[in-house]
Amino acid sequence: MQLSAARQSCGTLRRGPQPRAAGVRPVNFARAPVHRQLVVLRAAEAQEATVETAAPVEEVTLSPLDRARKALEDETLDKNVLTVCLAELEAEMARLQQESSAATSRAAQLEASVASAKDQYLRLQADFDNFRRRTKEESAQLTDSVRGDVVKELLPLVDNFELARTQVKAETEGEQKINNSYQGLYKQMVDLMRSLGVEAVPTLGAPFDPALHDAIMREPSATHPDGTVLHEFRKGFSIGGKLLRPAMVKVSYTEEGPANSSEE
């Protein structure tokens, strides 16, 4: 209504030129009101354009559920509006279901990836533990092997000290002092070998064991069971459960032993 009134007022103001007397300059009395009317007209047109463009924006920004709720509140809900809202809601539900299915599939893939990574981590940890244990065992075996090789080279010295201890007979005080010095050195060597884990193979009175003993003589005996070690000719040694050298021994046998074996 304001726009129509403004247009009518502008039409009344925009009339043709009036006759004037010659040599007289006309006075423009209606210029200021005309400008004000044009400003009012343009403001009304801009307001109507704003109102016309604002309604579709509100409809676009509203969701189908909001539009249905608004229609119920305004009591303007009809079948067409309901049909459109239902179609849009079904499309929205389908889209949400697709997104849910995609998210579920992605979550399953991530869970599978996590399970695979965890399994791989456990396998790597087990392999590392096995490698560390195997390396430790190999290192211990290598240490025992090197130590055994060194000790094995020193065994002849032990044999010489043992031979000197059994054969040397000190007759004078000076010879006894020399013998005591040798025995002191021998004791130090024995203590050193014990600290390295060297053990002597059991011999006297022990049953004969071919894995530990080397029988170089046999002797009949009625007081000892068959296969008993009677005498030790050379000591045997082991280190860390590994045999360095078997002991040379003499083994007993009974008179019935060979007869029984020949009958069989």
Side-chain angles (χ1 to χ4, degrees):
M1 295 175 63
Q2 294 178 359
L3 182 59
S4 301
R7 287 176 177 173
Q8 290 178 2
S9 60
C10 286
T12 57
L13 292 174
R14 293 178 182 176
R15 287 192 265 181
Q18 298 294 328
R20 61 185 179 183
V24 180
R25 186 175 181 180
V27 180
N28 192 356
F29 293 99
R31 182 176 299 273
V34 169
H35 285 295
R36 284 196 298 271
Q37 293 296 334
L38 289 175
V39 170
V40 172
L41 177 62
R42 291 176 181 175
E45 291 178 352
Q47 184 177 3
E48 290 182 359
T50 303
V51 172
E52 291 177 357
T53 56
V57 172
E58 184 180 0
E59 293 180 357
V60 172
T61 55
L62 291 177
S63 64
L65 185 60
D66 292 337
R67 288 205 303 272
R69 185 181 293 110
K70 187 175 183 303
L72 287 173
E73 293 175 355
D74 297 341
E75 297 182 356
T76 58
L77 184 64
D78 57 2
K79 184 176 181 180
N80 295 330
V81 174
L82 181 60
T83 303
V84 172
C85 291
L86 288 176
E88 292 180 353
L89 287 174
E90 289 177 354
E92 185 69 15
M93 290 295 296
R95 185 183 65 81
L96 292 176
Q97 288 179 355
Q98 291 179 357
E99 291 181 356
S100 177
S101 300
T104 303
S105 176
R106 180 60 178 170
Q109 292 178 359
L110 291 176
E111 289 179 357
S113 300
V114 171
S116 177
K118 183 178 180 180
D119 182 69
Q120 186 177 4
Y121 169 74
L122 294 177
R123 289 177 180 273
L124 290 175
Q125 187 176 10
D127 292 341
F128 178 73
D129 292 339
N130 294 332
F131 170 76
R132 182 172 55 186
R133 182 172 57 254
R134 185 171 60 253
T135 303
K136 185 177 181 179
E137 293 176 356
E138 291 177 354
S139 177
Q141 292 176 359
L142 180 61
T143 302
D144 292 339
S145 178
V146 173
R147 185 185 297 123
D149 292 341
V150 174
V151 172
K152 192 174 182 180
E153 296 296 328
L154 297 177
L155 292 182
L157 295 177
V158 178
D159 296 337
N160 292 334
F161 277 107
E162 284 287 331
L163 183 62
R165 184 175 64 84
T166 57
Q167 293 186 356
V168 172
K169 302 297 181 181
E171 296 179 354
T172 63
E173 185 178 354
E175 291 177 352
Q176 186 63 37
K177 290 182 179 180
I178 295 174
N179 186 29
N180 292 337
S181 300
Y182 276 114
Q183 295 305 320
L185 292 176
Y186 178 62
K187 184 177 182 302
Q188 290 181 0
M189 182 174 292
V190 171
D191 293 339
L192 175 62
M193 288 189 173
R194 285 177 179 174
S195 65
L196 295 176
V198 180
E199 297 179 354
V201 174
T203 54
L204 296 178
F208 175 76
D209 187 356
L212 301 176
H213 305 138
D214 184 10
I216 61 175
M217 289 184 64
R218 296 183 65 198
E219 181 179 305
S221 176
T223 58
H224 296 86
D226 187 30
T228 302
V229 177
L230 299 178
H231 183 72
E232 180 184 69
F233 296 101
R234 189 186 69 179
K235 284 184 174 295
F237 297 96
S238 64
I239 181 172
K242 178 183 178 182
L243 183 67
L244 294 177
R245 187 181 70 179
M248 289 184 180
V249 296
K250 179 172 64 175
V251 184
S252 67
Y253 70 93
T254 60
E255 295 295 339
E256 292 81 5
N260 293 335
S261 62
S262 60
E263 289 178 0
E264 293 176 359

